[in-house]
Amino acid sequence: MSVIRSTRPLDWREICAVAAGAPLELAPDARERIGAARALVEQIIARNIRAYGVNTGVGALCDVVVSPAEQHALSHNILMSHAVGVGEPLGAQETRAIMAAAINNYAHGHSGVRVELVERLVALLEADCLPEVPALGSVGYLSHMAHIALVCVGAGHARWRGERMSGADALRRLGLEPLSLQAKEGLSLVNGTPCVTGLAALALQRAHWLLDWADAVAAMSFENLGGQMAAFDAGSLAFRVSPGLARVGARMRAALAGSGLLAAALGRRTQDPLSMRTIPHVHGAARDVLAATAEVVNRELASTTDNPIVAGTLDEPRVYSQAHAVGASIALAMDSLAAAVAQVAAMAERRLDRLVNPLVSGLPAFLAQASGTRSGFMIAQYTAAALVAQNRREAAPASLDGGVTSGLQEDHLCHATPAALKALAVIENSSRIVGIELLAAAQAYDLQPLAASRAPYTEALYTQVRAVLPTYCDDRPLAEDMTLAFHLIADGGPPPLPDPCDFPSTLERCTPAPVESVAGAGAASANDAMPGVVGS
């Protein structure tokens, strides 16, 4: 299946499809727009119209005029000086997502790079020959794309078929020649927000899966702890206006329908602890943030984020040398998503603590098969608490970090790419926390003193876990079980629930899933075919 970049910009789901390995193709109209923008750059050069990064230096050197003879050297040198990333390299999906977002940006037709350069990025994606991109060292953008662009000119390093090699060797094995950059291309290769936008698309997908799992696992814990279903009553939840809250409430009713355990617990308490009765409120709030973030990411993908932007006609070329490469909105969105996911995970750890605490659970202490000689999930809860604390540190807003660079020329920094990297880290930590809760909830079912039935949906989840992991008896390192549970959650969504709108009691109050209702995001689930992905 191929993703086609045509007149319509890619959306976040399509970026994720390319990140997962789908080919990306340029439609003829996209090539025409790229070529037309290049012709404008050539007119700007011919008419000696001053344009930032085309015939001037960059950053604090923006007033230094660069002659036509020096413009190739300027583009080449920009790559070399901006390739300053440090630390471990990004994963394959992260690198592919950034490359797809960059191609999408150039296809708007306002960057002024040659079609050959964009096709080079497409060729690297098609061959799955991926530049090595250090994760750290960005205050907003620049360094990640610089390392990607190095391979286009035969420098840097790449990975192909499991082998690390020089950029020159990578091009040679693909039968490609190193590109010789022309005016503006060096700047356009490092500029804009493709780095944060590609990473943000992945964050959306992974957060979407995580929130679906959080609902499912919370239902298991709620059932084990004998919660009161009044917390999910549609009439009660309708007093608070929130699409996410309504959605989660309907999902919880669907997940727990037919539970004998909850029927036996009916009326046991006036109200449950907050970690149980605020599931719709906290998970729903996170879904509302997810929906808002999806809108921001799709707007970013629909925007030209280059500096300068070229427009106008061949007779009257225009140059806009302003701040469209700065990703303030997406930085704020990533910070918000990180905080929302961290809160969901923090509450999951609280439910986990209730499952292992015999003072409140009604279950054997720490879910151990034999008290005293076995510790069960006692220390697994420590791990979850540590990850919650790490999330708290990671969720501090990157967009407020500030700083000054380039000799006071760039004296406000939004830290958009670091915000996306932090959001991905929080989502990964949170997937581990929810994975531990999943294991504990399955263990709690094994130790339930009541001979009552589970809900059909939670029964299916329990069966899924037990198909790959037996009951825990302190007979193996628990970390291995936790890793398996993490991958179960991080690699896709849980078994689908019946559509909440199928339940008569919720028909009048049913609200579509926030992420699925975003314009341009499509109506499919994360595991369905994505909009814009057509048969190859």
Side-chain angles (χ1 to χ4, degrees):
M1 304 292 285
S2 297
V3 175
I4 309 296
R5 178 49 164 101
S6 58
T7 304
R8 184 180 63 80
L10 302 182
D11 63 31
W12 71 266
R13 291 181 184 272
E14 291 168 315
I15 296 293
C16 290
V18 177
L24 176 57
E25 299 179 16
L26 287 172
D29 59 82
R31 286 187 170 84
E32 290 173 7
R33 286 193 304 275
I34 295 168
R38 183 64 206 174
L40 291 174
V41 170
E42 291 169 356
Q43 281 294 306
I44 289 166
I45 295 168
R47 297 184 187 197
N48 200 28
I49 299 170
R50 182 178 291 194
Y52 173 76
V54 179
N55 45 30
T56 77
V58 297
L61 303 175
C62 61
D63 293 324
V64 177
V65 176
V66 177
S67 70
E70 297 174 306
Q71 287 165 12
H72 159 73
L74 171 63
S75 279
H76 182 81
N77 293 346
I78 284 174
L79 289 196
M80 301 302 139
S81 65
H82 286 54
V84 294
V86 296
E88 293 297 313
L90 295 175
Q93 286 198 9
E94 287 78 7
T95 302
R96 290 183 63 91
I98 292 172
M99 293 171 70
I103 293 165
N104 174 75
N105 193 37
Y106 302 139
H108 289 308
H110 293 290
S111 291
V113 300
R114 289 169 295 158
V115 174
E116 296 91 327
L117 188 152
V118 185
E119 288 177 334
R120 176 58 51 87
L121 293 172
V122 171
L124 292 175
L125 279 175
E126 183 177 3
D128 204 29
C129 182
L130 302 181
E132 187 175 275
V133 185
L136 306 179
S138 172
V139 296
Y141 46 96
L142 301 177
S143 65
H144 292 77
M145 276 304 300
H147 283 274
I148 288 171
L150 286 178
V151 176
C152 294
V153 301
H157 290 87
R159 283 199 171 271
W160 187 48
R161 297 179 177 177
E163 183 182 352
R164 184 179 188 262
M165 63 191 70
S166 70
D169 283 344
L171 294 182
R172 193 177 303 113
R173 296 197 193 186
L174 296 178
L176 301 170
E177 292 293 326
L179 289 175
S180 178
L181 300 183
Q182 297 184 10
K184 195 182 186 296
E185 290 184 327
L187 181 58
S188 287
L189 278 168
V190 304
N191 223 334
T193 62
C195 41
V196 58
T197 309
L199 296 173
L202 292 177
L204 283 171
Q205 182 183 66
R206 294 170 189 177
H208 188 187
W209 291 338
L210 172 62
L211 292 182
D212 278 355
W213 271 109
D215 290 347
V217 176
M220 296 173 72
S221 295
F222 189 92
E223 188 175 37
N224 271 301
L225 294 168
Q228 302 302 299
M229 282 294 291
F232 310 130
D233 177 75
S236 172
L237 295 179
F239 285 106
R240 180 175 283 276
V241 179
S242 160
L245 178 145
R247 176 73 176 184
V248 173
R251 285 172 59 81
M252 297 302 289
R253 292 193 296 275
L256 293 168
S259 170
L261 286 169
L262 292 184
L266 185 64
R268 186 185 300 169
R269 288 185 292 270
T270 302
Q271 62 174 213
D272 292 312
L274 284 172
S275 62
M276 296 168 65
R277 60 186 160 98
T278 63
I279 291 168
H281 303 76
V282 174
H283 292 200
R287 286 180 178 272
D288 289 342
V289 170
L290 188 65
T293 303
E295 291 181 3
V296 171
V297 175
N298 281 340
R299 288 200 301 266
E300 200 77 9
L301 288 165
S303 302
T304 300
T305 63
D306 208 335
N307 178 31
I309 287 171
V310 295
T313 65
L314 292 177
D315 292 331
E316 296 184 13
R318 301 287 302 276
V319 180
Y320 299 92
S321 179
Q322 300 307 326
H324 291 310
V326 175
S329 60
I330 199 166
L332 291 167
M334 286 294 96
D335 280 342
S336 180
L337 181 63
V341 170
Q343 185 169 150
V344 168
M347 197 165 74
E349 186 276 328
R350 288 292 79 211
R351 288 190 301 271
L352 167 64
D353 184 63
R354 299 192 76 81
L355 286 171
V356 303
N357 187 340
L359 299 177
V360 294
S361 69
L363 297 163
F366 307 110
L367 302 177
Q369 284 284 339
S371 179
T373 61
R374 297 174 182 173
S375 299
F377 282 75
M378 177 193 293
I379 310 304
Q381 185 264 330
Y382 288 32
T383 301
L387 292 173
V388 167
Q390 184 178 349
N391 273 355
R392 192 176 300 115
R393 296 188 290 270
E394 295 279 6
S399 52
L400 294 181
D401 284 346
V404 179
T405 58
S406 195
L408 297 181
Q409 179 68 7
E410 296 175 359
D411 57 355
H412 178 73
L413 306 175
C414 294
H415 297 271
T417 301
L421 289 169
K422 288 194 323 87
L424 287 167
V426 168
I427 293 165
E428 178 175 329
N429 285 343
S430 300
S431 297
R432 295 185 186 281
I433 294 165
V434 174
I436 298 171
E437 185 189 4
L438 172 64
L439 294 177
Q443 185 87 351
Y445 283 136
D446 293 330
L447 302 176
Q448 269 293 338
L450 296 177
S453 63
R454 295 181 278 270
Y457 184 76
T458 56
E459 174 68 33
L461 288 175
Y462 169 79
T463 301
Q464 182 178 359
V465 174
R466 286 290 170 256
V468 293
L469 286 173
T471 301
Y472 187 67
C473 300
D474 289 53
D475 53 345
R476 56 189 184 272
L478 189 48
E480 295 175 6
D481 292 23
M482 289 158 55
T483 297
L484 191 148
F486 163 70
H487 285 296
L488 189 65
I489 287 168
D491 294 345
L497 281 162
D499 190 325
C501 293
D502 292 339
F503 293 84
S505 63
T506 64
L507 275 175
E508 295 183 358
R509 300 184 178 90
C510 189
T511 305
V515 171
E516 297 167 3
S517 67
V518 174
S525 74
N527 294 316
D528 291 335
M530 299 185 182
V533 183
V534 299
S536 56

